[in-house]
Amino acid sequence: MKKKFASPRKLISAMLIFLIVSSLALTGCSSKSSSGETKTADGKTKFTMWTFVQVHADYWKDAAKTWNKNHPKQQIDLKINVFPYDQMNQKLQVALNSGNGAPDIADVEIGQFAKYTKTNNPPFEDITKEVEPFVPNLVKSRTDNYTVDGKVYGLDYHVGTTLVYYNMDIMNKAGIDPATIKTWDDYIKAGKIVKEKTGKYMTSVETSSSFVFDAMVAQQHSDMVKDGKSSLDTPENVKALQTLQDMIYKDKIAKQAEGGQQDNEEYYAAFNKGEYASVVMPAWYMSRMVGFMPKLTGKIHVTGLPVFKDGDLRSAGLGGTATVVTNQAHDKTLAKKFVVESKAGEEGSIKTWTILGFDPIRSDVWTSEELAKPNKYTEYFGTDIFKQMAALKDEVGGMSFTNNSFPIIADELLTNGLPKIMKKQASVEDTLKTVDAAADKRIAAGK
């Protein structure tokens, strides 16, 4: 009988997991030092935090200073580690599954959140009690995203109001006022004029991300999940993807986004050069523009989304990242107070705009004087930028982003759906049916 050996792929995977677990154990990634100390020499409580976005780290550095100013008897020392997105998710999963090496505080992207909450005992601390005093002023849909069995486990940075960002240099050359674009049909017609008169594409279409598709689905009051199963093949969803595919191949007003998506440095460079007349992305994309597209300062105009028909919403709440306290935090009470006050408190909520350029989850600050004051975002987009977002407050659609089945459905869509539809011109309806079947098979198998 021949001896059976593990495949090279399985051996490599096993080695990678071993190395990650070993590195976590050796480096002691929690806030405790190798000697087990959780306090600094001057008595501050040590906390570590993991995030995958540098601007989030900037926000938390300021939050720690603010906390220490307001709580002189509960001083903290916050060490923030910024990892690449995939690396951080892998490290965090390994640490939480193994019960060792996790940070006290972590950012968990909305699409990853359900992976951690499938069990009866999520590896995050329940912050319901700490959040309760702030509930009347919080946008409910954003707390609902991170609520499981009535318990709140995380708080988002923003609402994620989705907007159209128009490059007015290009739009003016084409002689088009964005205010005249009310429907997606209007948008396509305008795109043809833009292409004819300027040679520029109206927009881009993602092949490895789904922000624009998600927005089109949510604004039609549709979803990707129904009763825990994949429901991509609905008339609304088919219409959304067909519209995007047609923009490339039929209408010829769009091309595939550089790097497959609109949130990467390759794409930032293309948009900064003026290769597109517009891009559809959530409000948090303003930080990307300010940081990576300096040539467009003073040239960007934002509006709500065009609609397919009357009754559709003009925006969607997309993206999102919950800040959580892990169950390995050494001072859970203090960590929870710090996180919740920093996110839901009035001062912290205002700073999600002034530092990050995000639309705060606390709606009562939207009309505050602080949000009208000049900052790097008003310098870039104009002084009325937040008023334009606030006008969409009641037209922000959502989907079941934190449903346990959502990560599987999204994975199948991004792996076996969008690439075929957008790169190979595969049938939208047939492809979505195939993706639904594959996703449901994985959901039933618990994979």
Side-chain angles (χ1 to χ4, degrees), residues 194-212:
V194 166
K195 191 73 185 297
E196 178 186 352
K197 292 190 175 182
T198 71
K200 304 293 186 179
Y201 287 99
M202 182 65 163
T203 192
S204 52
V205 174
E206 299 166 302
T207 59
S208 63
S209 188
S210 61
F211 285 110
V212 183

Side-chain angles (χ1 to χ4, degrees), residues 4 37 137 205 301 331 367 386 399:
K4 292 184 178 179
E37 294 178 355
N137 292 319
V205 174
H301 175 71
D331 189 335
T367 55
F386 200 82
M399 288 198 294

Side-chain angles (χ1 to χ4, degrees), residues 25 34 85 99 130 162 201 217 233 350 378:
S34 58
Y85 177 78
E130 288 76 16
T162 304
Y201 287 99
V217 169
D233 182 30
I350 288 171
T378 58

Side-chain angles (χ1 to χ4, degrees), residues 4 7 19 79 85 93 95 167 173 175 278 385:
K4 292 184 178 179
S7 69
L19 288 172
K79 179 182 178 182
Y85 177 78
Q93 276 196 302
N167 180 333
K173 284 180 183 178
S278 66
I385 178 65

Side-chain angles (χ1 to χ4, degrees), residues 148-398:
V148 180
D149 296 329
K151 297 179 180 179
V152 182
Y153 288 100
L155 283 178
D156 213 322
Y157 288 91
H158 60 74
V159 176
T161 309
T162 304
L163 308 161
V164 185
Y165 298 80
Y166 288 102
N167 180 333
M168 291 309 296
D169 273 359
I170 299 174
M171 297 298 285
N172 288 334
K173 284 180 183 178
I176 299 171
D177 180 354
T180 64
I181 300 175
K182 304 295 185 182
T183 67
W184 284 110
D185 284 341
D186 294 338
Y187 184 83
I188 292 167
K189 289 176 183 176
K192 291 178 179 179
I193 296 172
V194 166
K195 191 73 185 297
E196 178 186 352
K197 292 190 175 182
T198 71
K200 304 293 186 179
Y201 287 99
M202 182 65 163
T203 192
S204 52
V205 174
E206 299 166 302
T207 59
S208 63
S209 188
S210 61
F211 285 110
V212 183
F213 170 63
D214 290 349
M216 287 179 161
V217 169
Q219 70 172 157
Q220 295 181 84
H221 308 278
S222 188
D223 208 330
M224 290 164 54
V225 186
K226 184 176 182 180
D227 299 327
K229 294 183 178 181
S230 184
S231 63
L232 284 166
D233 182 30
T234 67
E236 295 83 5
N237 299 356
V238 170
K239 179 188 290 184
L241 271 188
Q242 190 64 63
T243 299
L244 292 172
Q245 187 190 63
D246 286 348
M247 284 183 185
I248 300 176
Y249 299 104
K250 177 185 173 185
D251 306 310
K252 302 186 186 304
I253 66 164
K255 66 175 181 175
Q256 295 172 24
E258 286 77 359
Q261 57 169 299
Q262 297 167 165
D263 191 21
N264 64 72
E265 292 189 10
E266 189 179 354
Y267 185 83
Y268 304 153
F271 202 88
N272 191 43
K273 289 178 184 176
E275 294 186 15
Y276 299 102
S278 66
V279 62
V280 174
M281 286 296 279
W284 49 258
Y285 202 65
M286 280 190 268
S287 66
R288 311 307 198 252
M289 288 194 158
V290 171
F292 298 99
M293 307 176 209
K295 291 182 180 179
L296 302 180
T297 300
K299 299 178 181 180
I300 299 297
H301 175 71
V302 301
T303 69
L305 304 182
V307 298
F308 287 100
K309 63 182 186 306
D310 290 343
D312 287 351
L313 303 171
R314 291 189 298 147
S315 189
L318 296 188
T321 296
T323 303
V324 302
V325 175
T326 74
N327 60 1
Q328 294 178 35
H330 66 89
D331 189 335
K332 297 177 175 61
T333 300
L334 182 57
K336 289 194 290 184
K337 287 180 180 178
F338 168 60
V339 167
V340 173
E341 183 174 315
S342 298
K343 279 285 189 77
E346 184 175 2
E347 186 172 4
S349 196
I350 288 171
K351 286 183 176 179
T352 61
W353 166 245
T354 59
I355 294 176
L356 298 172
F358 295 167
D359 43 350
I361 61 172
R362 182 168 167 151
S363 61
D364 64 323
V365 305
W366 290 7
T367 55
S368 67
E369 292 182 4
E370 286 83 354
L371 267 67
K373 290 180 180 178
N375 61 23
K376 59 184 177 181
Y377 298 104
T378 58
E379 180 183 345
Y380 191 101
F381 294 98
T383 56
D384 64 340
I385 178 65
F386 200 82
K387 289 182 180 178
Q388 294 178 57
M389 284 193 286
L392 300 170
K393 176 185 174 184
D394 297 324
E395 292 190 69
V396 180

